Amino acid sequence: MARTTPPRWRDVAEDLLRRIERGDLAPGDGAATRRRLPPEKDLELHYGVSRNTVREALSWLQKQGAVTSEQGKGTFVVHRPQADHVTLSAAALGLSPGGGDGEWYNRDAFIPAGRTVTVSPVKVEVQEGSQLISWYLQTEEETEFISRHQLLYLDGRAWAMQTSYYPLDFATAGASRLLKPRNIPEGAVAYLKETLGYTEVGFHDEIRARIPNEHEKQFFSLGDSAADVVFETARTAYSESGRAFRLTMTIWPADRTRLHYNAGDVPDDVLTRPGQGGARDISPPGDDDA
């Protein structure tokens, strides 16, 4: 007869995960105070199961990125930073990142007030576009592009990696500041409108999740578990003629980022406090004991 109930190890694993998410088994603030799960023998007694069942449950939790096992030391809860809520649809058309002084996030993405955004110096390169970049910007594959790259920090913590691409001929046509490794105070899109007549009338976003490369792992302090993935957002800006004239690729760590969009009439508290607005007392699925 086919099994109609989940394996016993899954019951144990899901209960442990609920306890971790509720804070009963939350990690400490530093490496010296990391929260260690009870020894396997204690878990056997608590759940009334065999050692193999406990080990299967711990193995599943490790694959989910919730715990890590260290030989001779035990199993520890993995620290996951508090989620940052980012609204990608907050900007008015015609505005864009690149404003400097932390203003970019009110243009291309919005975060609640009281957070401090800092950015690294702009790194500018001229490169031959990949097939993907050429596809987004509707150009031939051999087209050369200007890339403007910055690392972004939220309250001093690694937050995002952002690169914007523009056809190189923009610089030769009059938008020469794109080639300078400095912020463009009014924003790149406003600058392109002033110099080249491009007016942003719309943008298209594409979001995908993927495994981070080694550089991204190092910047975001990510490991190799199933939870250590990144979101990659690709925002393509379009002019009145329908030309794609700007592509911005942003990398966000998925373990600490919640991306939001708004459309239509949304309450103000939801707009200004994404993920927190509204008087709600609803636990995410799996967080209760039902």
Side-chain angles (χ1 to χ4, degrees), residues 130-148:
S130 66
Q131 184 178 13
L132 183 64
I133 295 172
S134 298
W135 182 84
Y136 279 119
L137 290 176
Q138 305 167 354
T139 66
E140 300 296 329
E141 287 188 33
E142 64 271 15
T143 300
E144 292 182 307
F145 294 95
I146 301 166
S147 68
R148 296 174 58 84

Side-chain angles (χ1 to χ4, degrees), residues 175-250:
S176 60
R177 286 163 60 196
L178 291 176
L179 286 170
K180 297 181 179 179
R182 293 192 291 273
N183 281 326
I184 299 174
E186 68 272 33
V189 171
Y191 173 61
L192 291 175
K193 179 179 180 180
E194 176 188 352
T195 56
L196 303 181
Y198 284 106
T199 299
E200 183 183 79
V201 297
F203 60 76
H204 173 79
D205 282 358
E206 180 179 327
I207 303 174
R208 68 176 180 132
R210 61 171 174 79
I211 297 171
N213 60 37
E214 291 303 318
H215 180 54
E216 293 160 351
K217 285 182 181 180
Q218 182 178 8
F219 180 64
F220 295 121
S221 298
L222 297 174
D224 297 312
S225 75
D228 291 309
V229 298
V230 294
F231 295 129
E232 180 181 78
T233 62
R235 172 165 291 188
T236 310
Y238 293 92
S239 69
E240 294 172 307
S241 67
R243 176 173 182 178
F245 67 94
R246 175 177 177 269
L247 170 67
T248 297
M249 307 288 288
T250 309

Side-chain angles (χ1 to χ4, degrees), residues 156-173:
R157 185 181 70 189
W159 183 40
M161 308 171 74
Q162 188 172 80
T163 306
S164 291
Y165 298 91
Y166 310 87
L168 180 59
D169 61 17
F170 281 13
T172 58

